[in-house]
């Protein structure tokens, strides 16, 4: 199953979603490679892209510590969550709690870790996939973030003040 994230005219950046039919990434270059592959040079499967991202996250001391903590020390869970995240067919309802946490770190500028992970992740993708393709993947992940935030707002429990008032009235109201 190949993740193909290639040049879809400008429409992918203007709100349409990514799909396997509308994409084609480059091969992932090594860190020592100073040249970028062209968007049509080759394609990379989701597991290879995920492995590349996981390896980069593990190399970064702060990101490594945070992801180890939120995953309960299971990097295989992180890799599984990232596979779901980078899959262009994923929607917000397909995300596990761990995947939502990772997306929050990647997309939101919350706290120290969010301000570290977001630019690191984006630079990583641009270096590996090229600017155009990376932007499409970043757009997809940002869409997942917005969608999961909207779902979280819809299913939030009632505020404690409302629950306390309604329970103090009793059955007769």
């Amino acid at each position: 199953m190949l993740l193909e994230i290639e040049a879809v005219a400008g429409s992918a950046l203007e709100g349409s979603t990514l799909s396997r039919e509308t994409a084609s990434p480059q091969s992932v270059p090594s860190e020592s490679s100073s040249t970028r592959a062209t968007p049509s040079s080759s394609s990379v499967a989701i597991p290879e892209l995920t492995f590349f991202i996981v390896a980069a996250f593990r190399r970064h001391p702060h990101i490594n510590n945070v992801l180890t903590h939120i995953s309960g020390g299971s990097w295989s869970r992180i890799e599984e969550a990232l596979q779901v995240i980078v899959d262009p067919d994923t929607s917000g309802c397909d995300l596990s709690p761990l995947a939502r946490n990772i997306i929050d770190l990647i997309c939101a500028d919350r706290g120290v870790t969010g301000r570290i992970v977001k630019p690191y992740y984006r630079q990583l993708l641009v270096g590996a996939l090229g600017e155009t393709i990376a932007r499409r993947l970043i757009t997809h992940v940002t869409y997942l973030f917005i969608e999961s935030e909207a779902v979280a707002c819809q299913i939030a429990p009632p505020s404690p003040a409302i629950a306390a008032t309604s329970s103090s009235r009793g059955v007769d109201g």
Side-chain angles (χ1 to χ4, degrees), residues 75-144:
W75 278 87
S76 62
R77 287 184 58 220
I78 293 169
E79 191 165 355
E80 289 169 10
L82 282 168
Q83 283 184 0
V84 171
I85 292 167
V86 300
D87 185 340
D89 294 333
T90 297
S91 69
C93 47
D94 298 328
L95 301 173
S96 67
L98 177 59
R100 283 188 181 94
N101 282 339
I102 293 170
I103 287 176
D104 189 68
L105 290 172
I106 290 171
C107 295
D109 286 318
R110 295 183 187 139
V112 172
T113 304
R115 288 189 297 270
I116 292 171
V117 175
K118 185 175 180 178
Y120 182 80
Y121 170 76
R122 289 178 176 208
Q123 289 174 345
L124 177 73
L125 290 181
V126 169
L129 302 172
E131 190 172 334
T132 303
I133 297 167
R135 192 175 313 142
R136 287 191 178 94
L137 184 55
I138 291 165
T139 300
H140 165 70
V141 174
T142 303
Y143 177 77
L144 290 176

Side-chain angles (χ1 to χ4, degrees), residues 10-83:
S11 65
L13 299 176
E14 296 170 3
S16 62
T17 58
L18 220 48
S19 72
R20 292 184 198 285
E21 295 79 31
T22 61
S24 157
Q26 326 163 332
S27 61
V28 179
S30 66
E31 277 191 358
S32 61
S33 173
S34 60
T35 61
R36 289 192 186 147
T38 60
S40 60
S41 64
S42 64
S43 57
V44 64
I46 290 172
E48 283 84 12
L49 178 60
T50 304
F51 179 80
F52 177 78
I53 295 168
V54 168
F57 283 173
R58 289 192 80 161
R59 279 192 311 269
H60 190 285
H62 185 77
I63 297 171
N64 182 339
N65 287 340
V66 170
L67 291 177
T68 298
H69 175 72
I70 69 172
S71 70
S74 175
W75 278 87
S76 62
R77 287 184 58 220
I78 293 169
E79 191 165 355
E80 289 169 10
L82 282 168
Q83 283 184 0

